[in-house]
Amino acid sequence: MTNKKPNIAVLGASGVVGREILGILAESNIEFNDIKFLASKRSAGNKIEFKGKEYTIIEATPDVFEGVNVVLASAGGSTSLALAPEAVKRGAVYIDNSSAFRMQEDVPLVIAGVNDEDLKKHKGIVANPNCSTSQLMLALKPLDDYAKIKRLIVSTYQAVSGAGLAAIEELTDNTKTNLIGMPYDSKAFKHEIGFNVIPQIDVFCENGYTKEEMKVTNETRKILHLDKSVPISCTAVRVPVYIGHSEAVSIEFEKPIDANKTREILKNAYGVNVIDDPEHYAYPTPKDAAGKDPVFVGRIRKSIAFDNGIDFFCVADNLRIGAALNTVRLAQKVIEMGLY
């Protein structure tokens, strides 16, 4: 436990999510003693502006974590595997945005406002969940608290920004070639993404699900502490949208719950904004979510497939709640709870 202002480091500061972290960190009220911005050798030496001051990006080597208390990391799995132990060894709490540590038993996987208590179990590393899991948890947690999840089926419609800068550029280029009837050689995706949807995100596993689909399944179970007997299934689809993941969610509960009660619970839930007036065509779309913090939920209805079942549609900015926003919120929680 400590009361001193922490020294902070942002790792992967020059990447898509890293830049988003900087923006959210600048908007936040996190107080710190010192801050440094780290990236690969390629980006080292470049200048970066933060809160009106200019900083020089430093190459991320083990020694630069000396004296750092909290690391906000968004630099990919292999980088985190190499550098997280080095940061922890030097006394830092490493908040990781990659998938490197998510399913390790002794690493808490946390969504701020959902399972904050799990932060107390950290041994130096805290994992930030997958983007599609992140938005789902803010909607599921209060409903699980009320009626207990018995079965969960999710279909995700994921924006190209989840696959990085090259994927964003590919959507633009591929759309242009489609409009003039020219052929296109896809690189970021296995199929054309312009005017198309691709029912594959990440590689296929032996069970026929993709790695992305299994992330949603396994991470949901870990974050909500759901029993292994609770069936969870996910289908993940890439769609030609720049920013904003959408999800169609079907839940069967142990206890009775109706659409009105679901709306009431979600209207009072942390980080959730309900837009649900179908009569006036009011429901969330990815454009509503881009650049905003909440998870937007709508199309709330009683399921006709399950007893005690509820269906809804939710959208969120995948670069914010799905990555950068939760990373900053976790740093804030670690600092507030004196866990560094």
Side-chain angles (χ1 to χ4, degrees), residues 166-295:
I168 293 171
E169 289 167 355
E170 186 155 310
L171 173 57
T172 303
D173 294 343
N174 193 188
T175 302
K176 287 175 181 173
T177 59
N178 268 281
L179 287 170
I180 57 172
M182 294 288 288
Y184 187 79
D185 182 21
S186 301
K187 291 182 178 65
F189 302 109
K190 300 292 182 193
H191 297 270
E192 288 193 36
I193 188 63
F195 299 99
N196 201 14
V197 298
I198 305 169
Q200 177 192 353
I201 299 177
D202 215 323
V203 296
F204 286 98
C205 306
E206 279 183 21
N207 63 0
Y209 284 79
T210 63
K211 210 169 159 188
E212 177 78 7
E213 290 159 353
M214 293 313 300
K215 280 179 192 173
V216 173
T217 299
N218 296 330
E219 290 175 20
T220 297
R221 201 181 298 285
K222 182 173 179 178
I223 293 164
L224 295 181
H225 303 286
L226 295 177
D227 192 79
K228 282 181 181 166
S229 64
V230 175
I232 303 172
S233 177
C234 175
T235 301
V237 181
R238 188 72 71 191
V239 295
V241 167
Y242 287 112
I243 293 172
H245 287 355
S246 304
E247 297 175 341
V249 184
S250 294
I251 321 161
E252 184 178 16
F253 293 96
E254 298 276 359
K255 297 172 187 169
I257 184 169
D258 62 19
N260 285 335
K261 187 65 187 175
T262 301
R263 275 186 211 98
E264 181 194 320
I265 290 167
L266 292 176
K267 276 176 182 171
N268 293 307
Y270 170 76
V272 175
N273 190 330
V274 175
I275 302 175
D276 193 34
D277 183 9
E279 207 176 304
H280 297 97
Y281 312 106
Y283 37 71
T285 70
K287 279 205 169 182
D288 300 317
K292 301 192 180 103
D293 288 348
V295 174

